[in-house]
Amino acid sequence: MPLATLRQVLDEAAKGGYGVGAFNVNNMEQLQGIVAGAQETSSPVIVQASRGAIAYAGPLYLRNLILAAAESAPEIPIVLHLDHGDKPETCLMAIELGFTSVMMDGSLLADGKTPSDYEYNVEVTRTVAEAAHAKGVSVEGELGTLGGIEDGHGSGEVHLTDPDQAGDFVEKTGVDALAVAIGTSHGAYKFTQKPTGDVLAMHLIEEIHQKLPDTHMVMHGSSSVPQSLVDRINAAGGELVATYGVPVEEIQQGIRHGVRKVNVDTDGRLAITAALRETLNASPKEFDPRAFFKPAREAMKQVVAERLTQFGAAGHAGDYDVIPLEEMAERYARSAVRA
Ligand code: G3H
Ligand code: 13P
Ligand code: ZN
């Protein structure tokens, strides 16, 4: 099966009333864990690479790893998505490389830190959508900013999404998916106590869904940061401090109200780190890296399978055939002519 587009995968998720996990990838073991988790649960899956991931792995390695994944798992729709594109040039580079979906994060200026104004966001996102759609590639935009700066991305200021702006933004930009800011942040340190529905501003998701029932929403910063993983890391010599992530029940509540893409990076990082620390401690005489990477890959698989099941995506991999990019491009061209 060719790589799927975000647009098709999220349209199908909306029909089926479920969410699809978008998991970050940086290397082969992480990718194999993601794909194995999707295969085990028979789920569509979104594999996303940040600019940092592209720099770490190298663009060609990343592209070809994911093509290998798609060839090895033809029964699973797999989207290759650029996470947090900082400027149109980055998105165009990803499209050239073979990504089937890009995020133009115009909520921040190209420095990835300074909140932008609305006009700037509309302009860069629209520019990317025009170029991407001409090739059948999907586009995610972001309205509002997440909190947190610990991964080097973000302003440290939370600007919640304004539901009254959402309709105008989607119409002017033509995005296929809208990332909303509801009070989450990237990384492990999101909350100092378990967040309630109010802390998370879940009502914004409900309001946007009422206003724009056909718009697919994206929740960033959606790792749940399981206590069990934090405990395992610390028991094996780690020094993570007490922290809370986004409860799975809140994500499920979002999915009932139009959230279709759920971004999870940190939970995979924690699972891999727990497995690596435990195996390194348990086998001090071992020096074959495969002995450490195999349990790490398995840990990634488990977290991916668990989240895909919790998001309701399990069992949906075979619901549809992937629409090739060329046909997606024709569809966008036809809908532009009609508009
Ligand atoms: O944007 C946040 C993701 O967790 C990616 O993080 O930029 O460290 O790869 P990264
Ligand atoms: P987490 O840090 O909560 O996993 O969020 C990842 C994310 O939003 C990537 O874009
Ligand atoms: Zn994000």
Side-chain angles (χ1 to χ4, degrees), residues 24 48 83-84 185-187 190 220-223 263-266:
N24 286 71
Q48 56 186 9
D83 190 24
H84 292 284
S185 54
H186 290 136
K190 301 183 196 302
H220 281 248
S222 293
S223 278
N263 283 15
V264 175
D265 184 3
T266 298

Side-chain angles (χ1 to χ4, degrees), residues 69-92:
E71 207 176 322
S72 321
E75 75 284 15
I76 302 290
I78 301 176
V79 178
L80 173 51
H81 176 79
L82 173 71
D83 190 24
H84 292 284
D86 57 340
K87 50 183 181 295
E89 292 76 8
T90 310
C91 297
L92 299 180

Side-chain angles (χ1 to χ4, degrees), residues 49-105:
S50 68
R51 280 178 295 126
I54 296 172
Y56 172 80
L60 291 178
Y61 277 98
L62 210 52
R63 189 256 304 269
N64 287 296
L65 278 173
I66 292 167
L67 292 180
E71 207 176 322
S72 321
E75 75 284 15
I76 302 290
I78 301 176
V79 178
L80 173 51
H81 176 79
L82 173 71
D83 190 24
H84 292 284
D86 57 340
K87 50 183 181 295
E89 292 76 8
T90 310
C91 297
L92 299 180
M93 177 275 289
I95 294 169
E96 277 306 303
L97 206 57
F99 282 57
T100 52
S101 177
V102 292
M103 176 184 191
M104 175 62 238
D105 184 355

